[in-house]
Amino acid sequence: MLAGIVAGIILTLGTDVVLHVIRVFPPVGQWTPSGPLVLATVYRAIYSVIAGYITARLAPNRPIAHALIGGAVAVVVSIAGAVATWNLGLGPHWYPVALVVLAMPTAWLGGWLRLRQVGQPGLTR
């Protein structure tokens, strides 16, 4: 499970850094408008699916359960991030809420994709 979480973090932070460097995102600590945050939401959702897939791929059993545990970790981290930044004026409030809401479905999708790949259509295997 840790490998999927680490992969998601590396992909996300790497993309964040590149987008700051090429000035798609404003400097760290400044207000970010909705446009760049829509982009961030999309790539973070994709990376969360990848993290769920990796977690399910490496799980010794019950791959979707493992992916969902990773999703639960993402929910907790996203809530903590939302609470920590809520009143800092860094961007619109829909963004941290979206990260919380998307964490479990994207983790599940990653696990489901792994099951489909190996021909196991069950949702809880």
Side-chain angles (χ1 to χ4, degrees):
M1 176 179 8
L2 187 58
I5 292 170
V6 169
I9 291 169
I10 290 170
L11 288 168
T12 297
L13 292 178
T15 304
D16 287 351
V17 167
V18 169
L19 292 175
H20 279 289
V21 168
I22 65 172
R23 299 177 192 236
V24 171
F25 290 164
V28 175
Q30 290 188 8
W31 173 267
T32 304
S34 286
L37 292 178
V38 169
L39 174 63
T41 303
V42 170
Y43 71 74
R44 286 171 188 256
I46 292 168
Y47 296 162
S48 293
V49 172
I50 293 168
Y53 175 88
I54 291 169
T55 300
R57 171 70 180 86
L58 298 175
N61 56 33
R62 298 176 41 105
I64 288 187
H66 283 82
L68 289 175
I69 292 168
V73 170
V75 167
V76 170
V77 170
S78 296
I79 289 171
V83 169
T85 61
W86 194 260
N87 291 320
L88 296 181
L90 299 175
H93 288 137
W94 68 262
Y95 176 67
V97 172
L99 296 181
V100 172
V101 170
L102 289 171
M104 292 302 284
T106 55
W108 174 84
L109 180 57
W112 180 82
L113 288 172
R114 173 59 185 158
L115 285 183
R116 295 288 295 172
Q117 181 186 36
V118 296
Q120 298 175 347
L123 298 179
T124 58
R125 275 191 61 102

